[in-house]
Amino acid sequence: FVLFVMIGVFFGLSHWERARQFEQIEALGKRLVSALEDRFIAHQEALSALRRLIEVMPDMTFAQFEHFTQATLKDNGDLFAISFNPLVSSADRQAFERSVAEKSPFKAFRIIERDSRGQLVRAGARPEYVPVALIAPLEGNVPAIGYDIYSEPVRHDAINRAINSGK
């Protein structure tokens, strides 16, 4: 009889402990979701402000972009870089490359992608491109300048979904 009581107590305590752990995990999960939502909102607000600034100053230079994004990067330690990647049609490609090259501290700009060996090469002919036109901080991110993020399947899909949703 004592053995059955002990087994019953053991299973009862075990069930109680599992329920308590589940509640703790659930509470932690809710706090994590809330924190992530807050971070996404902060990032979205920062990027929306930057988008509006670029609408007002479409000919922004690399130095101006770096200056305007400096505070956002400092205040959001989980952001390592911010870039401006416009949608460029094939018909506008040459004019766009010339325009960015004129503003570039390197006096050169071309839309690039990775080839089958992973090397950065001039992007092939496509109807549209989404190149990195401006990036901050510039230090450490120079190889990204001109990279067509639309050439990557996952980003291509994400951009198409954003375009189709109007966001």
Side-chain angles (χ1 to χ4, degrees):
F1 176 75
V2 173
L3 180 62
F4 285 122
V5 169
M6 293 300 287
I7 290 172
V9 169
F10 173 77
F11 281 115
L13 288 174
S14 176
H15 176 72
W16 175 80
E17 181 64 20
R18 258 186 277 133
R20 191 179 67 78
Q21 288 175 350
F22 179 78
E23 288 172 4
Q24 288 177 335
I25 291 170
E26 186 177 35
L28 180 62
K30 287 179 180 179
R31 286 194 306 271
L32 181 60
V33 166
S34 179
L36 285 172
E37 286 174 346
D38 291 347
R39 293 308 308 147
F40 287 139
I41 289 168
H43 292 166
Q44 186 176 10
E45 288 174 355
L47 293 176
S48 291
L50 184 59
R51 184 190 77 221
R52 288 187 298 277
L53 179 64
I54 289 172
E55 289 171 357
V56 173
M57 295 180 60
D59 293 327
M60 186 179 299
T61 66
F62 280 80
Q64 290 169 326
F65 187 79
E66 182 111 18
H67 175 77
F68 287 118
T69 58
Q70 192 173 39
T72 300
L73 289 169
K74 181 181 173 197
D75 294 344
N76 295 278
D78 50 341
L79 291 179
F80 300 102
I82 298 175
S83 65
F84 170 60
N85 312 332
L87 181 64
V88 178
S89 71
S90 180
D92 296 333
R93 179 180 179 166
Q94 286 184 332
F96 175 78
E97 288 177 332
R98 270 194 310 274
S99 172
V100 176
E102 290 171 2
K103 297 181 286 186
S104 170
F106 312 106
K107 299 301 175 201
F109 179 86
R110 64 187 179 132
I111 298 175
I112 57 176
E113 65 186 0
R114 292 203 181 276
D115 66 12
S116 60
R117 297 179 314 226
Q119 301 297 313
L120 291 174
V121 297
R122 183 170 174 79
R126 284 191 293 282
E128 297 172 318
Y129 308 89
V130 182
V132 176
L134 299 166
I135 193 164
L138 193 55
E139 183 181 332
N141 290 306
V142 172
I145 297 171
Y147 182 71
D148 179 18
I149 64 170
Y150 211 41
S151 66
E152 291 182 12
V154 173
R155 289 180 178 181
H156 184 97
D157 181 57
I159 292 166
N160 284 342
R161 281 188 282 122
I163 290 170
N164 292 336
S165 73
K167 294 181 180 181

